[in-house]
Amino acid sequence: MEVQGTPTAGAWGEWNPTEDSARPLRGKHRVLKQRGGLARSSTVLGVGVIAAVGAGGIATAQDRPQVAISVPSIPDLLGGGDHSAAAAAHAESVSVPRQADGQQDVRTQGHPDAGEALRHRILQQAESQQDAAEAQAKAEAERVAREGAAQEARGQKEAADKEAEAVRVAAEKAAAEKAAADEAAKQSETKGAADTGSGGGSSSVKSSGGWSLPTSSYTLTSHYGDAGSMWSSGHHTGLDFAAPTGTPVKAVGGGTVVSAGWSGAYGYRIVLRLADGTEVWYCHLSSMSVTSGSVGAGETIGRVGATGNVTGAHLHLEVRKGGSTVDPLSWLTARGLDV
């Protein structure tokens, strides 16, 4: 309902109240309690302002030119593609909306070398990671090499220690054997002298007409021609005089020592050649007193031992005529020796 006398200046005109327009109404009327009047007025005013601003904004947006935005391509970022095209794309200007005074503010976004700088950063990071990986691999290889060298050194030291221990044990064993041989030789010589002085039995050194038994204090164990797997020829080619290690070994007759030294399965061996060409072999000796030159019957040329292929200390005596073996027992007996 329009109040009479109230000026209407339009929807958005200004109204200034006067005394006439502000005097109270006459008559009966109810005064309605205003509910949220200020809120309603604020809401109406706010909607109006938004409408006005929105309309102005739409008009302004329509009048302004479209914005051109350039984005570098993925190949340019990764280092591929045409670098000149990427530089041109980065150099392109980007237009921004006009300012309030209507002038257009044109700015350039970024620099022509931004993509190239990004590519360089990516490449530098990749190179740094590769350098770090190579350094780690090199350090690991050096560590493995050091461990291998240390292990090899330990192995060499252990081998040297074992070899030194073996040499020490062998030296101790040789010294013990030598001491035992010397003691046995002394006892044998003493006993042999006693047997000879008392006209002892066959175990003493005997001589007859320039011939002598090869040793003393012996026991015959294996005879010529005995068969068995112990001998390479299938049968025994000599006569075994079992005696303690170190027992003196004598020349059975006058002759010349033509050979003395190691002879494989025979161990240490002395070859005595007699005047008629017969060879007498003394085998498995522990030591050799004469290695060359002439000797007489009964002269000590070595000592009983257990070298070579043996099962115990003994003297293996072989007699060879014309390169063939003969029975040593028969040969000694034929020369008047009581074996």
Side-chain angles (χ1 to χ4, degrees):
M1 177 181 66
E2 181 178 355
V3 180
Q4 186 177 2
T6 301
T8 59
W12 301 102
E14 182 179 1
W15 173 62
N16 295 320
T18 64
E19 182 179 356
D20 295 336
S21 63
R23 66 174 176 262
L25 298 176
R26 295 178 182 179
K28 292 181 179 181
H29 62 276
R30 291 193 312 172
V31 179
L32 298 176
K33 186 177 180 181
Q34 188 176 0
R35 297 178 180 177
L38 181 58
R40 290 180 181 178
S41 300
S42 300
T43 303
V44 173
L45 180 60
V47 172
V49 172
I50 292 174
V53 174
I58 293 173
T60 303
Q62 291 176 351
D63 294 339
R64 294 181 181 179
Q66 296 181 354
V67 177
I69 299 175
S70 63
V71 179
S73 63
I74 296 303
D76 291 335
L77 291 176
L78 299 179
D82 189 358
H83 295 286
S84 61
H90 286 292
E92 184 179 352
S93 299
V94 179
S95 299
V96 299
R98 289 186 179 86
Q99 297 179 354
D101 57 1
Q103 295 181 356
Q104 186 179 9
D105 185 8
V106 181
R107 301 174 184 174
T108 57
Q109 183 179 3
H111 299 281
D113 295 335
E116 185 67 17
L118 177 58
R119 186 177 70 87
H120 281 309
R121 286 198 298 272
I122 294 174
L123 291 178
Q124 288 176 356
Q125 184 178 5
E127 290 178 357
S128 299
Q129 293 176 355
Q130 183 177 1
D131 293 341
E134 290 178 355
Q136 183 177 2
K138 183 178 179 181
E140 181 66 16
E142 291 177 353
R143 183 186 66 81
V144 172
R146 288 194 299 269
E147 291 180 355
Q151 185 175 2
E152 183 178 359
R154 287 195 298 270
Q156 292 177 355
K157 183 178 181 301
E158 291 178 357
D161 292 342
K162 290 181 179 179
E163 184 176 357
E165 181 66 17
V167 171
R168 184 187 65 79
V169 172
E172 291 179 355
K173 183 178 179 180
E177 291 179 352
K178 184 176 184 302
D182 293 342
E183 182 65 21
K186 291 179 180 179
Q187 294 178 359
S188 178
E189 288 178 355
T190 301
K191 184 177 180 180
D195 292 341
T196 302
S198 61
S202 60
S203 61
S204 61
V205 176
K206 296 180 180 179
S207 61
S208 175
W211 300 100
S212 174
L213 288 174
T215 188
S216 60
S217 303
Y218 62 84
T219 301
L220 297 179
T221 55
S222 296
H223 293 73
Y224 180 81
D226 289 347
S229 59
M230 295 180 57
W231 303 289
S232 59
S233 61
H235 65 278
H236 196 216
T237 56
L239 182 62
D240 288 348
F241 296 78
T245 298
T247 302
V249 173
K250 310 291 185 177
V252 294
T256 303
V257 175
V258 296
S259 177
W262 183 261
S263 184
Y266 286 106
Y268 287 109
R269 180 191 67 174
I270 293 177
V271 177
L272 174 65
R273 181 177 296 166
L274 303 179
D276 61 354
T278 301
E279 289 185 354
V280 182
W281 290 11
Y282 302 83
C283 306
H284 307 309
L285 302 177
S286 61
S287 62
M288 298 174 291
S289 302
V290 180
T291 57
S292 63
S294 300
V295 295
E299 183 177 344
T300 299
I301 58 176
R303 294 186 182 276
V304 173
T307 59
N309 185 17
V310 298
T311 58
H314 70 280
L315 169 66
H316 174 84
L317 186 74
E318 285 191 11
V319 178
R320 293 175 174 257
K321 300 184 67 174
S324 300
T325 60
V326 298
D327 184 1
L329 181 59
S330 301
W331 188 85
L332 291 173
T333 301
R335 281 152 182 78
L337 297 173
D338 185 9
V339 181

